[in-house]
Amino acid sequence: MEYAIESLGYEEAATDSTTRILNRMQLLNYACNLGHEGCIADSLEKWNAFKANPTSSLVPVNARRYVYCVGLRHGDATDYNFLFDQYETSENAADMIVILRALGCTKDENRLQHYLQQSLTNDKIRYHDRTNAFAYALAGNRENYQTVVTFLQNNLADIRVLYGGVARLNVAINALVTYLTDFEDITSFQAWAYENQLALEDSFQTAKNVVATAVTNIQWGNSVVRDIYSFLRGRNAAGAITAPTFVALLLAAIMAHFIR
């Protein structure tokens, strides 16, 4: 990863090809999500400059997805409020999607709850983007899971109506499966689903399927993790990969099955 980042750099040049631009964007988004220090430092520099002067220090378009997310992930309620104001005043549909995604990266629980409530009531968020916002709150930080699932449980009827019907509610429920990664959470969600069969109506089967898939994912991970670890350890012993890359590959190999 270090070689790739060094090769592509953090700044976009006028002579960059489309492929180089896309590769940089995907690599840095991945690197920042993994906690790469250089990526985070560069993103925070761009974010803080933008926050200090939003009219003249715009974040480059192709860097906004990860820069905005890093800004909120490493910031506080004021960072969320700043970016939410950008969303409210924006008239650019593409940028609004980027901002909506990044708002889910906040680690401030009160702001996260505000974000989820906005997915129900904010007229600027289109119907299909309401379920996207629900998923973004999960993807922004894995520790957001409990807040998000509590929101689902407490607002089931409103989500069904305001997200756009049963199909949209099912999309939201299905978004949980990637983040149900331990049996305590799985059994808790399963117990809630069975206790609320009547309220779930046609979505009860979706909830059951989510539980079954989550269990299958864990079973699969348990069955292959030793082989994957042994393979990568052998490659690492031969000097083929560095320690950080080794860890990243191990996690990516396990999670690839979960998010396919």
Side-chain angles (χ1 to χ4, degrees), residues 160-213:
R160 182 188 290 113
V161 173
L162 298 174
Y163 276 22
V166 173
R168 291 292 178 185
L169 171 60
N170 290 345
V171 170
I173 293 173
N174 277 319
L176 298 173
V177 69
T178 302
Y179 306 91
L180 283 167
T181 56
D182 66 64
F183 280 111
E184 183 177 349
D185 287 339
I186 292 172
T187 54
S188 176
F189 181 75
Q190 182 182 49
W192 171 81
Y194 275 91
E195 290 169 3
N196 291 273
Q197 291 185 52
L198 294 179
L200 280 162
E201 299 178 355
D202 294 339
S203 298
F204 175 62
Q205 185 60 50
T206 301
K208 285 177 61 180
N209 292 343
V210 163
V211 169
T213 302

Side-chain angles (χ1 to χ4, degrees), residues 2 43 67 70 74-75 81 83 85 128 138 145 157 184 188 197 216-217 235 246 249-250 258:
E2 290 292 346
S43 295
V67 169
V70 168
H74 292 263
N81 293 339
L83 192 60
D85 287 343
H128 64 278
L138 290 164
Y145 168 80
E184 183 177 349
S188 176
Q197 291 185 52
T216 299
N217 286 343
R235 292 285 300 275
F246 166 67
L249 287 173
L250 177 60
F258 294 169

Side-chain angles (χ1 to χ4, degrees), residues 91-159:
E91 298 297 334
N92 184 307
D95 204 36
M96 288 171 68
I97 293 297
V98 174
I99 294 173
L100 188 66
R101 178 190 292 270
L103 286 168
C105 295
T106 183
K107 288 187 174 182
D108 185 288
E109 185 173 348
N110 289 332
R111 296 298 82 200
L112 180 63
Q113 291 175 350
H114 173 270
Y115 175 69
L116 291 167
Q117 286 297 327
Q118 291 296 307
S119 75
L120 293 174
T121 60
N122 192 320
D123 291 337
K124 291 196 73 171
I125 303 178
R126 298 169 295 184
Y127 273 125
H128 64 278
D129 287 329
R130 295 185 176 191
T131 46
N132 288 340
F134 184 92
Y136 296 155
L138 290 164
N141 296 293
R142 296 191 69 85
E143 55 265 41
N144 288 351
Y145 168 80
Q146 193 55 59
T147 300
V148 176
V149 78
T150 299
F151 169 77
L152 170 70
Q153 292 167 350
N154 291 342
N155 298 276
L156 188 62
D158 286 341
I159 290 172

